Amino acid sequence: GESVGLHLPTLSVQEGDNSIINCAYSNSASDYFIWYKQESGKGPQFIIDIRSNMDKRQGQRVTVLLNKTVKHLSLQIAATQPGDSAVYFCAEKLAGGFKTIFGAGTRLFVKA
Amino acid sequence: KAGVTQTPRYLIKTRGQQVTLSCSPISGHRSVSWYQQTPGQGLQFLFEYFSETQRNKGNFPGRFSGRQFSNSRSEMNVSTLELGDSALYLCASSGTGDLYEQYFGPGTRLTVT
């Protein structure tokens, strides 16, 4: 079936620490993965993406890791800040597909 | 460049009524997707339009429909509203049919009473 799941629904970290949000996907035909951040009252915002022919991609303070062997995706946020508090979604797209399948979401709390 | 806009932002309807939601994509974007977001089901794909054609549809009943106009603006309609249709409806646009990065609007919060 098509499903993308998250291991932890809630994650609480201390300001300045690194955060790791994990995601499992089930469709081995997916060729593109995205992380979104959603703040209260707003739509999801693109953070970073990765294609299936890569296993790591870095952005500003964020890194996405892809392990196709175990169908696992993770988002690492360095030096987490209060402004990072939000719900984070992983999502996947099938090759040539036009729809995005979203995971359940993980709420990140950053403690000052 | 202006972002994705959705109107109205909030809506309250009664069971059995119908509703039409509107989405204006980012200028130049031709692909528009719609999603339903609820606490219980998360973000679920409704349908995607490109150049006025529906290219993909999610697993929703026929009460949910949509269309896209020649200027890429899109509307979705829900007929015979049910209490379970209460949700945040999100619209996202992307530059071409093959580009994956989507830009989301703020959503329309629909409450069915």
Side-chain angles (χ1 to χ4, degrees):
Chain A
E2 299 174 339
S3 68
V4 178
L6 291 170
H7 297 308
L8 297 173
T10 305
L11 177 65
S12 185
V13 300
Q14 198 70 37
E15 181 180 0
D17 288 351
N18 296 334
S19 303
I20 299 176
I21 301 172
N22 296 303
C23 175
Y25 65 95
S26 61
N27 200 322
S28 56
S30 293
D31 75 338
Y32 181 70
F33 304 88
I34 318 108
W35 281 100
Y36 288 93
K37 171 187 180 184
Q38 187 174 25
E39 297 174 281
S40 181
K42 298 182 180 179
Q45 177 186 5
F46 173 92
I47 301 173
I48 191 168
D49 59 0
I50 189 167
R51 296 198 180 272
S52 59
N53 60 355
M54 303 170 67
D55 54 20
K56 181 179 179 179
R57 190 164 188 224
Q58 288 184 291
Q60 188 177 16
R61 281 200 309 120
V62 295
T63 300
V64 56
L65 299 177
L66 175 63
N67 186 330
K68 293 182 289 295
T69 303
V70 295
K71 296 179 188 172
H72 184 266
L73 192 67
S74 69
L75 176 70
Q76 300 177 2
I77 304 174
T80 313
Q81 303 168 359
D84 294 328
S85 293
V87 176
Y88 289 81
F89 294 94
C90 66
E92 64 178 311
K93 274 205 170 193
L94 300 173
F98 302 115
K99 68 177 181 179
T100 304
I101 303 166
F102 281 82
T106 292
R107 183 173 296 280
L108 176 65
F109 289 103
V110 181
K111 297 176 287 186
Chain B
K1 188 185 273 191
V4 178
T5 58
Q6 292 186 247
T7 57
R9 290 294 311 277
Y10 302 92
L11 204 51
I12 299 175
K13 289 287 189 179
T14 304
R15 222 170 6 170
Q17 289 185 313
Q18 73 156 12
V19 66
T20 299
L21 311 181
S22 180
C23 170
S24 292
I26 291 173
S27 178
H29 284 191
R30 296 168 64 189
S31 172
V32 173
S33 297
W34 287 90
Y35 297 86
Q36 181 195 64
Q37 186 174 30
T38 60
Q41 298 297 319
L43 268 158
Q44 292 191 294
F45 174 81
L46 279 156
F47 25 67
E48 188 261 356
Y49 286 88
F50 180 79
S51 293
E52 302 178 65
T53 300
Q54 185 183 92
R55 294 195 299 187
N56 211 335
K57 191 176 188 301
N59 298 322
F60 279 83
R63 300 185 296 108
F64 292 81
S65 62
R67 60 177 175 169
Q68 187 181 33
F69 301 95
S70 58
N71 62 357
S72 294
R73 190 178 70 85
S74 178
E75 289 181 346
M76 68 162 282
N77 184 78
V78 188
S79 62
T80 321
L81 284 165
E82 300 177 0
L83 296 179
D85 296 333
S86 294
L88 180 68
Y89 289 89
L90 291 158
C91 164
S93 74
S94 60
T96 73
D98 294 329
L99 285 181
Y100 295 140
E101 184 171 340
Q102 293 181 317
Y103 297 85
F104 282 83
T108 294
R109 172 73 62 186
L110 172 65
T111 302
V112 182
T113 62

